[in-house]
Amino acid sequence: MNPLLSRLQPYPFERLRQLFAGVALPADYSPISLGMGEPRHATPAFIKEALVASLGGLASYPATAGEPRLREACAAWLQRRYGVTVEPTAHVLPVNGSREALFAFAQTVLDPSGGDAVAVCPNPFYQIYEGATLLAGATPYYAPSDPARNFAVDWDSVPEDVWRKTQLLFVCSPGNPTGAVMPLAEWKKLFALSDRYGFVIASDECYSEIYFQGEPPLGGLEAAAQLGRTDFRNLVSFTSLSKRSNVPGLRSGFVAGDAALIKAFLLYRTYHGGAMGPAVQGASIAAWNDEQHVTENRALYRKKFAQVTPLLAGVMDVKLPDAGFYLWARVPEALGMTDAEFARALLAQYNVTVLPGSYLAREAGGINPGAQRVRMALVADTEECVEAALRIVQFIQSRT
């Protein structure tokens, strides 16, 4: 077996399963899960219809590069959403969801032959960054988030000797689990570091279409264009239909950016078998070409966050995120509980699942920046999320 597999840590939901082992669930409360970030709004009917309408292409092998119509739809969306102009055949590549693409991209970019390759990732973070780095033979470095800046990443804390060894930087904006959005000044800083040290930036933007203020989150390609980097040098952005269009089971997204990196990634994917099926391509074209369902989806999230956040803010340190569909809440000190103890006791008493924040981070410099926080995914309908919030309020009040 590949010895690098032994370096992988248990996935957060496996740890959660172990944490909950032996818990006797209360019979008088129906289960409500705020644990997994899986969209649960209804998939728009027109996307399902487009999927069925494209089944005629199943008799042919799909091209790894995707149909021209799909790449054109993705490029057109980038123009509408970010005001960014790209060449579909050079700058865009369809992928089977951002998770698969993030993992595969690391295998394309990282070169461990020198023995000291590093990939920098935010902390807390999406665990695929770590796993992809480890299986590519590189070492992850965890850049901590700063609670004083709404959990924006403290890039200045990364030592110069780490930057010198860095080959890949993962950024996530809007962030998981905190919802923090990177401003243009932060992008400018990262681009300058990339130019100085030569590393590639992988920008995970799968939560970009769920936001709560008037202005949509700034994207990596948009930031590059605003700063005159129209060649998107050493930058690839990753986006997905899962959250935007409520189709996590479709496994569809695309990457866009530096033409040389896209060319290399296409070569890797040709051997890796990363082609998107024709029916999924047909449904994806329909989804990328429509914005009405995205606006309606965003309104549903805004409604539930407007109702749930004030309820929880009465008993916890929590506030409306910049974007995304998570609340990143602090466990009250008065409870005398760790984040894992809080999650287990909440399940046992009120049958509500939340994810311990420490499971989404790593200890670095003696600190786990996710400790004493819990992540709540407000993915169910508003009524169910409000009911979960009321139970959490009751749980905290009953113990303080």
Side-chain angles (χ1 to χ4, degrees), residues 26-33 350-352 384 387 391:
D28 47 344
Y29 288 100
S30 60
I32 301 178
S33 178
Y350 284 109
N351 215 349
V352 174
E384 191 172 359
E387 170 62 22
R391 294 186 199 177

Side-chain angles (χ1 to χ4, degrees), residues 102-122:
L102 286 161
F103 181 88
F105 188 70
Q107 316 313 305
T108 305
V109 169
L110 290 169
D111 175 13
S113 59
D116 58 356
V118 169
V120 174
C121 65

Side-chain angles (χ1 to χ4, degrees), residues 17 46 66 108 115 147 164 166 171 183 203-204 208 239 258 272 382 388:
R17 187 188 67 79
F46 79 92
T108 305
R164 282 198 298 267
T166 298
V171 300
S203 179
D204 181 355
S208 67
T239 192
D258 184 326
H272 188 238
T382 300

Side-chain angles (χ1 to χ4, degrees), residues 142-198:
Y142 308 105
S145 298
D146 184 0
R149 296 189 298 126
N150 194 24
F151 284 89
V153 180
D154 184 8
W155 303 113
D156 292 335
S157 69
V158 180
E160 184 178 2
D161 66 314
V162 172
W163 285 128
R164 282 198 298 267
K165 295 181 287 188
T166 298
Q167 297 181 4
L168 179 61
L169 168 64
F170 289 103
V171 300
C172 186
S173 180
N176 172 11
T178 68
V181 172
M182 286 175 37
L184 185 63
E186 197 167 342
W187 278 109
K188 185 176 182 179
K189 176 185 296 185
L190 295 183
F191 290 146
L193 288 167
S194 173
D195 289 344
R196 187 182 313 160
Y197 298 106

Side-chain angles (χ1 to χ4, degrees), residues 342-362:
F342 177 92
R344 183 179 169 91
L346 176 63
L347 180 72
Q349 188 169 340
Y350 284 109
N351 215 349
V352 174
T353 299
V354 297
L355 187 65
S358 59
Y359 290 7
L360 297 165
R362 295 288 178 262

Side-chain angles (χ1 to χ4, degrees), residues 215-383:
E215 289 296 318
L218 179 71
L221 299 185
E222 182 183 18
Q226 290 182 13
L227 294 170
R229 302 171 66 92
T230 53
D231 61 352
F232 312 119
R233 183 169 63 260
N234 277 339
L235 171 66
V236 171
S237 292
F238 297 68
T239 192
S240 166
L241 288 173
S242 295
K243 283 81 174 174
R244 174 188 182 271
S245 300
N246 296 307
V247 287
L250 194 65
R251 309 314 303 136
S252 176
F254 72 87
V255 301
D258 184 326
L261 291 172
I262 295 295
K263 182 178 181 180
F265 195 30
L266 173 59
L267 174 63
Y268 177 91
R269 297 180 65 76
T270 299
Y271 279 83
H272 188 238
M276 181 184 293
V280 174
Q281 290 194 56
S284 301
I285 291 168
W288 289 118
N289 283 336
D290 182 81
E291 287 299 321
Q292 180 179 345
H293 77 286
V294 183
T295 301
E296 294 169 353
N297 186 49
R298 187 160 51 243
L300 292 175
Y301 282 110
R302 287 180 170 181
K303 178 183 177 182
K304 76 176 74 173
F305 271 79
Q307 294 187 39
V308 170
T309 308
L311 291 173
L312 294 173
V315 295
M316 306 182 79
D317 174 12
V318 64
K319 62 180 181 179
L320 190 71
D322 294 337
F325 52 42
Y326 301 115
L327 286 177
W328 186 235
R330 185 167 183 82
V331 176
E333 290 184 13
L335 295 180
M337 293 178 168
T338 67
D339 50 315
E341 290 168 344
F342 177 92
R344 183 179 169 91
L346 176 63
L347 180 72
Q349 188 169 340
Y350 284 109
N351 215 349
V352 174
T353 299
V354 297
L355 187 65
S358 59
Y359 290 7
L360 297 165
R362 295 288 178 262
E363 183 173 318
I367 298 173
N368 182 318
Q372 297 308 104
R373 294 264 170 180
V374 291
R375 192 189 76 176
M376 306 177 192
L378 302 192
V379 291
D381 61 37
T382 300
E383 182 179 355

